[in-house]
Amino acid sequence: MRYTRELAYDAPPEEVFAMLADPAFREKVGAAQGVVSIDVTLTPAGAGFTLVSDQVQNTAGLPAIAKKIAGDTTQAVITESWKDAGSGTIEITAPGKPTRATGTIRLSAAGGGTTYVQELDVVVKVPLIAGKLEKLMADNIDAGLTTEHAVGVAWLKGDR
């Protein structure tokens, strides 16, 4: 399943990029998302960086069929590899689970602000119900991005 989300920030791309490269921001997002635990590793790479966010997420509220696959909690490893302040790749995996999302992330100037775009291919390899589970995974990614955006808007206004 294809998933695309566009978000707007009232700050220039350099400020948004710096925020995304700050492990403290990522930890604050994890707390706002209600993750059980989060370990953020940032490695500078030329004009960009690689960020790995290894999270344990609570699966409360998921449908029974999804909980049967995921368990009471699930590990999600989000790897972002930014080549520069404009674009990068993203991969979301759940080790040991038949799920994966891969795609691109982009920042671009828009007026005095920034447009953030995430495009993913969401894949769940479970016969017969893959489409439903992919939709559920995309919905969870979307909810996470909504929270990340809210924390980001506040962060850029100085709420750190």
Side-chain angles (χ1 to χ4, degrees), residues 65 69 97-99 123-134:
I65 188 66
I69 294 167
K97 307 290 191 282
T99 62
V123 178
V124 178
K125 294 182 179 182
V126 177
L128 304 177
I129 59 169
K132 288 181 183 181
L133 293 176
E134 288 170 354

Side-chain angles (χ1 to χ4, degrees), residues 4-55:
T4 301
R5 179 80 187 266
E6 185 175 308
L7 302 168
Y9 289 100
D10 289 331
E14 301 77 28
E15 286 182 37
V16 175
F17 182 70
M19 172 185 74
L20 295 173
D22 190 331
F25 168 72
R26 301 304 182 119
E27 290 167 358
K28 188 166 186 167
V29 169
Q33 291 171 337
V35 299
V36 175
S37 67
I38 185 169
D39 181 32
V40 177
T41 305
L42 181 88
T43 307
F49 63 88
T50 297
L51 180 128
V52 178
S53 178
D54 191 343
Q55 306 175 5

Side-chain angles (χ1 to χ4, degrees), residues 49-139:
F49 63 88
T50 297
L51 180 128
V52 178
S53 178
D54 191 343
Q55 306 175 5
V56 175
Q57 300 175 342
N58 192 329
T59 60
L62 288 181
I65 188 66
K67 280 192 71 128
K68 187 173 186 176
I69 294 167
D72 290 333
T73 60
T74 192
Q75 180 184 13
V77 179
I78 304 163
T79 304
E80 294 181 16
S81 298
W82 290 84
K83 67 178 184 173
D84 55 34
S87 66
T89 60
I90 183 169
E91 177 182 50
I92 304 168
T93 60
K97 307 290 191 282
T99 62
R100 181 185 187 117
T102 56
T104 60
I105 38 183
R106 294 187 313 274
L107 295 176
S108 59
T114 301
T115 298
Y116 170 100
V117 178
Q118 186 175 103
E119 296 177 314
L120 297 171
D121 288 314
V122 179
V123 178
V124 178
K125 294 182 179 182
V126 177
L128 304 177
I129 59 169
K132 288 181 183 181
L133 293 176
E134 288 170 354
K135 172 78 168 94
L136 180 64
M137 185 174 173
D139 288 348

